[in-house]
């Protein structure tokens, strides 16, 4: 019987982060969870493809749009379950046991990980706490928390929309009964460290509010990347 989980990772010039992300997935192979790794690239010009192919991943390339990349990657994946991760996310040790338990006992519900930043201090802890509270209260995880979802649930929800930003929120709003796994996704703090924790956090909240008010994702993406 094939392993149940396909890992899908969107990339764009991810050579600095991808090796560590893949290394943290190795315990899933040992546990018999991972069927395949699908890298959906948006036109990398660095060593991302060489890293992906050296790991045995299936390589898919297309236009740079995170939603579109995820849509293509999930369409190519063969697993009964999809585990969607960002290239700068590293799952903490023990994640495979959490996933295995959810597959056995979670009644088919989609799930995400708790967020934790790879940074020390009060502000990283505070921002992560808010993100985890938002996830529990409103069932709105961001993509850096990962998404574990059964293929039939993913397809019934319409999958990821082909848009450059808020593709994770768009899909999450169509899901029901989201569970939060006890393991953490350790994500990069680089954007926060460059912009400042309060400034970046406020910008993220403002971006989310503008999206809910109907501003197009393409317009939001232009300001978000600055």
């Amino acid at each position: 019987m094939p392993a149940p989980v396909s890992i899908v990772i969107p990339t764009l010039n991810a050579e600095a982060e991808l090796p560590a992300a893949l290394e943290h997935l190795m315990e899933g192979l040992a546990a018999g969870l991972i069927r395949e790794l699908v890298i959906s690239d948006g036109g990398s010009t660095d060593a991302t493809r060489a890293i992906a192919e050296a790991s045995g991943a299936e390589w898919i390339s297309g236009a740079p749009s995170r939603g579109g990349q995820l849509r293509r990657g999930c369409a190519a994946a063969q697993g009964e379950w999809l585990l969607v991760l960002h290239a700068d996310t590293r799952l903490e040790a023990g994640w495979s046991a959490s996933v295995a338990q959810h597959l056995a006992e979670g009644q088919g519900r989609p799930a995400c990980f708790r967020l934790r930043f790879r940074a020390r201090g009060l502000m990283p802890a505070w921002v992560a706490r808010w993100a985890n509270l938002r996830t529990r209260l409103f069932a709105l995880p961001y993509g850096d928390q990962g998404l574990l979802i059964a293929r039939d649930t993913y397809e019934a929800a319409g999958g990821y929309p082909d848009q450059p930003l808020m593709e994770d929120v768009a899909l999450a709003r169509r899901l029901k009964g989201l569970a939060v796994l006890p393991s953490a996704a350790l994500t990069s703090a680089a954007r926060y460290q460059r912009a400042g924790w309060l400034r970046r956090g406020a910008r993220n909240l403002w971006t989310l509010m503008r999206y809910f008010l109907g501003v197009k994702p393409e317009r939001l993406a232009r300001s978000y990347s600055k």
Side-chain angles (χ1 to χ4, degrees), residues 69-191:
Q69 289 172 234
L70 286 172
R71 192 173 185 89
R72 291 190 295 271
C74 291
Q78 301 296 311
E80 179 185 354
W81 285 77
L82 306 172
L83 177 52
V84 180
L85 298 170
H86 286 180
D88 62 355
T89 294
R90 304 171 189 175
L91 300 183
E92 73 171 346
W95 70 267
S96 59
S98 297
V99 168
Q101 182 175 6
H102 183 77
L103 297 187
E105 303 174 5
Q107 299 179 325
R109 292 186 298 162
C112 66
F113 294 90
R114 292 184 302 105
L115 180 68
R116 204 164 80 212
F117 289 101
R118 301 197 311 269
R120 296 181 179 273
L122 178 62
M123 289 308 298
W126 187 86
V127 173
R129 189 174 296 115
W130 152 247
N132 292 324
L133 181 63
R134 180 199 67 231
T135 301
R136 292 186 182 278
L137 291 181
F138 304 111
L140 279 180
Y142 286 164
D144 49 14
Q145 292 171 253
L147 179 66
L148 176 68
I149 185 169
R151 171 172 296 282
D152 56 356
T153 302
Y154 172 81
E155 292 176 350
Y160 285 101
D162 187 354
Q163 59 191 52
L165 196 69
M166 292 291 165
E167 79 293 333
D168 43 8
V169 172
L171 177 56
R173 294 175 78 184
R174 299 195 295 268
L175 300 178
K176 304 296 182 182
L178 183 79
V180 180
L181 301 172
S183 297
L186 313 177
T187 194
S188 170
R191 287 184 183 273

Side-chain angles (χ1 to χ4, degrees), residues 169-226:
V169 172
L171 177 56
R173 294 175 78 184
R174 299 195 295 268
L175 300 178
K176 304 296 182 182
L178 183 79
V180 180
L181 301 172
S183 297
L186 313 177
T187 194
S188 170
R191 287 184 183 273
Y192 286 89
Q193 291 168 333
R194 285 196 301 266
W197 287 89
L198 287 177
R199 182 182 177 189
R200 190 74 210 184
R203 177 182 287 188
N204 288 349
L205 183 58
W206 176 234
T207 300
L208 180 63
M209 291 174 61
R210 292 172 70 203
Y211 179 68
F212 284 165
L213 290 171
V215 178
K216 291 187 177 300
E218 292 76 14
R219 181 178 174 187
L220 294 175
R222 288 194 292 271
S223 59
Y224 182 81
S225 60
K226 294 179 181 178

